[in-house]
Amino acid sequence: MSGTFSSNARNLEFGAPPPGVPACQGLDPEIFHPNPSDANRDPSPAERAALAVCEVCSVRDWCLERDMQECSTDRRISGVRGGLREADRRALHVQRFGRRPARRKAEAGR
């Protein structure tokens, strides 16, 4: 991948990417970080705009899988990636990997 990708795509680089060009190439990465909606509500208009970009993306599955592997905990997930909004990716992450316990304050300072 070249440096012409949005930071959203560039941050997801790992291994050999599949053929195709991410639909987010050249777009403002801020559109992929809208205010998240509640999991029990429909996506917000801003989330729908980002999801529409992902829907036509030829590397959407790769992007989602990379995000799942990259995030060590569901609390690190933010924005829209791989065709799923934040709430849906968090639920998928917990389904796949379980929920990691929060770090205690004493451990966080080490």
Side-chain angles (χ1 to χ4, degrees):
M1 286 189 185
S2 73
T4 61
F5 292 106
S6 71
S7 61
N8 190 49
R10 191 171 43 252
N11 289 337
L12 293 174
E13 289 183 350
F14 77 107
V21 176
C24 61
Q25 178 178 345
L27 298 179
D28 182 350
E30 290 301 312
I31 72 166
F32 297 98
H33 296 281
N35 289 331
S37 61
D38 292 331
N40 58 352
R41 294 185 178 227
D42 289 335
S44 68
E47 287 173 317
R48 283 196 294 273
L51 290 168
V53 173
C54 293
E55 187 168 330
V56 298
C57 186
S58 64
V59 297
R60 179 182 59 216
D61 294 339
W62 173 79
C63 184
L64 176 61
E65 188 58 37
R66 173 62 183 133
D67 186 55
M68 289 290 104
Q69 297 300 321
E70 182 180 70
C71 292
S72 58
T73 176
D74 64 297
R75 290 178 295 280
R76 294 187 55 138
I77 292 173
S78 68
V80 172
R81 285 190 179 169
L84 294 178
R85 63 188 176 142
E86 183 175 312
D88 299 328
R89 288 193 350 271
R90 285 182 180 204
L92 179 61
H93 194 279
V94 169
Q95 179 184 9
R96 284 188 179 183
F97 304 109
R99 189 175 302 272
R100 296 180 77 187
R103 291 175 47 181
R104 294 187 307 222
K105 289 182 182 180
E107 291 176 330
R110 289 185 193 170

